Amino acid sequence: MVDADQTFVIVGGGLAGAKAAETLRAEGFSGRVILICDERDHPYERPPLSKGYLLGKEERDTVFVHEPAWYAQNDVELHLGQTVDRIDRAAKTVRFGDDGTLVHYDKLLLATGAEPRRLDIPGTDLAGVHHLRRLAHAERLKGVLAALGRDNGHLVIAGAGWIGLEVAAAARTYGAEVTVIDHGPTPLHGVLGPELGNVFAQLHQEHGVRFHFGVQLTEIVGQDGMVLAARTDDGEEHPAHDVLAAIGAAPRIGLAEAAGLEIADRAYGGGIVADERLRTSDPDIFVAGDVASFPHALFDTRLRVEHWANALNGGPAAARSMLGQDVTYDRMPYFFTDQYDLGMEYSGWAPPGSYDEVVIRGDAGKREFIAFWLKEGRVLAGMNVNVWDVTEDIQKLVRSAEPVNTEALADPKTPLDSLLP
Ligand SMILES: Cc1cc2nc3c(=O)[nH]c(=O)nc-3n(C[C@H](O)[C@H](O)[C@H](O)COP(=O)(O)OP(=O)(O)OC[C@H]3O[C@@H](n4cnc5c(N)ncnc54)[C@H](O)[C@@H]3O)c2cc1C
């Protein structure tokens, strides 16, 4: 039983941390809630940073999880701009801030998220090399894209993943010249496989993006601190005024690792190992969001999910688990993207190698379709592109874990719910 004298500490003020704090109060927890984050901004959501906010369509104050006053109103002690640099599991304390403040915890939530991977090549210290994770990065990039658009400048993007492609779309909308470089054979290869990656390649090519697949950046060439070009291992030099490194994110596990918590194998995406209750190898320490590696019974594997919905739902699930409630975190992975006039949602989990068939329902050429990834006739994942209100049915098909009639699945006239067992 949790009593009012207890202190729950949350490290990391992203969506997962902020939602966990909200849930603790909503569930009636009356002890201390302390949320510590190394960013100076109040907790905010990141998806707009590569979409509406970057495009200037959404205002800065729309990205925050709660109004600034919400924290005091809900008695959540917020320490912004403060890094937690040590967990002492024996003493049950965390240390944070320049003065090494120690705070005791009864339960601790690590919602430390992820950080952009860095390019390890010459030239990455030039002023025109950018990353995109934080609000300040987006603010800066927005100015860069506007200037590139105005001056007919060139942006080279390393990485044809979600962030790389979303920024490519934004940059083209501003009028910048855009080149995307990726070592894979198609965009989003590790998530969608080759069949569907081409839909995104075509979309961007139609909007004037140049792709170079199967190559690696070897150097960012500069002069007087300014970017001039990006070189690839095929010997080509691509003109560039700015470079965005969008080569993925790494879970922020340093604190947990130093505290001796179990860390997941990289083959499972890394992250901090948790059970289905989001409890780590220390029963008083919990995880949520991008940093959490949790077992998913439906896919019979351990997953680490770097998506908004996982932070939105994982934070509250971890909070309830901290309160001793009976929690099984088995949300289906779900994410979305918006690029130009393409809107997409994806539910499930089907990386290359896990499926043996892709079924398309609708017209992929017109970019109005649902793609299903199947293994032995069973739907592992579904992606709806410019088709709406089908997520629930897609998720039910995945959850059913039963083989479906693939001809009927491919036929838009057959209602999806009629395919459920
Ligand atoms: C540009 C961008 C666009 C995205 N778009 C989409 C999208 O369209 N759809 C989608 O599904 N997902 C999207 N995502 C992913 C989604 O935003 C993340 O999955 C989500 O932000 C994860 O939330 P989190 O709370 O786990 O981690 P984070 O948001 O990373 O928050 C963790 C916080 O903890 C802080 N922190 C870490 N270590 C410490 C420490 N030791 N001390 C104090 N503070 C610490 C970090 O600085 C950070 O503020 C996008 C991400 C980015 C960057």
Side-chain angles (χ1 to χ4, degrees), residues 115-409:
E115 61 193 339
R117 291 188 197 279
R118 309 263 154 185
L119 288 166
D120 187 17
I121 54 172
T124 49
D125 52 344
L126 294 166
V129 178
H130 311 277
H131 295 91
L132 180 56
R133 181 81 195 175
R134 297 187 163 193
L135 197 45
H137 297 151
E139 266 162 15
R140 183 165 168 232
L141 193 58
K142 197 167 149 178
V144 166
L145 298 188
L148 289 175
R150 204 173 44 235
D151 305 336
N152 210 16
H154 287 250
L155 176 70
V156 166
I157 299 175
W162 297 114
I163 290 179
L165 293 186
E166 288 175 1
V167 174
R172 288 300 298 144
T173 306
Y174 277 100
E177 295 295 325
V178 179
T179 301
V180 178
I181 289 164
D182 197 292
H183 59 81
T186 53
L188 301 161
H189 189 261
V191 198
L192 302 184
E195 300 86 354
L196 272 300
N198 279 326
V199 171
F200 286 85
Q202 217 172 354
L203 168 75
H204 282 269
Q205 277 158 346
E206 282 171 22
H207 284 85
V209 172
R210 294 179 202 90
F211 282 107
H212 292 272
F213 291 117
V215 290
Q216 307 257 19
L217 271 191
T218 51
E219 185 181 354
I220 300 168
V221 185
Q223 196 177 16
D224 303 328
M226 312 277 284
V227 171
L228 289 182
R231 242 180 230 145
T232 42
D233 58 2
D234 55 354
E236 271 207 57
E237 207 166 272
H238 310 272
H241 297 98
D242 288 273
V243 173
L244 175 76
I247 54 169
R252 291 186 66 175
I253 56 171
L255 201 55
E257 208 168 19
L261 295 178
E262 192 184 339
I263 302 300
D265 194 288
R266 285 191 69 166
Y268 294 101
I272 304 170
V273 166
D275 61 15
E276 67 288 351
R277 303 173 57 180
L278 297 178
R279 202 173 49 178
T280 67
S281 49
D282 180 324
D284 292 322
I285 306 182
F286 298 75
V287 283
D290 281 9
V291 80
S293 167
F294 57 95
H296 204 297
L298 184 61
F299 302 104
D300 192 23
T301 186
R302 181 163 279 288
L303 292 182
R304 188 176 70 78
V305 180
E306 275 179 19
H307 291 300
W308 172 88
N310 178 55
L312 183 78
N313 297 300
R320 284 192 279 271
S321 201
M322 291 163 87
L323 291 167
Q325 295 179 17
D326 195 10
V327 168
T328 301
Y329 186 66
D330 61 357
R331 292 293 295 206
M332 182 163 314
Y334 164 90
F335 63 92
F336 58 90
T337 187
D338 294 310
Q339 297 168 31
Y340 313 104
D341 55 359
L342 180 150
M344 172 288 255
E345 296 172 286
Y346 176 107
S347 295
W349 187 79
S354 68
Y355 61 90
D356 53 28
E357 189 180 1
V358 178
V359 171
I360 305 286
R361 176 188 174 93
D363 191 337
K366 280 196 188 145
R367 293 193 279 268
E368 216 175 285
F369 65 98
I370 309 176
F372 294 96
W373 286 261
L374 291 90
K375 169 95 178 175
E376 290 159 10
R378 170 192 158 188
V379 178
L380 298 178
M383 172 175 85
N384 47 304
V385 173
N386 289 343
V387 173
W388 303 109
D389 301 324
V390 289
T391 298
E392 206 182 314
D393 285 338
I394 292 174
Q395 295 201 352
K396 279 186 191 160
L397 277 171
V398 177
R399 277 202 193 281
S400 79
E402 293 286 338
V404 292
N405 176 330
T406 49
E407 261 174 47
L409 187 66

Side-chain angles (χ1 to χ4, degrees), residues 95-118:
R95 186 175 69 187
F96 68 97
D98 293 339
D99 56 357
T101 302
L102 283 180
V103 67
H104 167 79
Y105 65 83
D106 292 288
K107 303 276 184 226
L108 175 64
L109 174 63
L110 298 177
T112 49
E115 61 193 339
R117 291 188 197 279
R118 309 263 154 185

Side-chain angles (χ1 to χ4, degrees), residues 20-65:
E22 181 187 311
T23 303
L24 289 174
R25 288 301 182 225
E27 293 287 332
F29 177 62
S30 58
R32 282 180 83 187
V33 177
I34 303 175
L35 197 163
I36 309 165
C37 188
D38 59 6
E39 293 195 65
R40 291 191 183 282
D41 290 300
H42 283 79
Y44 58 89
E45 304 198 20
R46 298 182 199 275
L49 307 190
S50 51
K51 307 180 191 66
Y53 179 71
L54 191 62
L55 282 161
K57 289 184 183 163
E58 285 171 40
E59 296 296 328
R60 192 179 191 282
D61 59 10
T62 60
V63 304
F64 296 99
V65 182

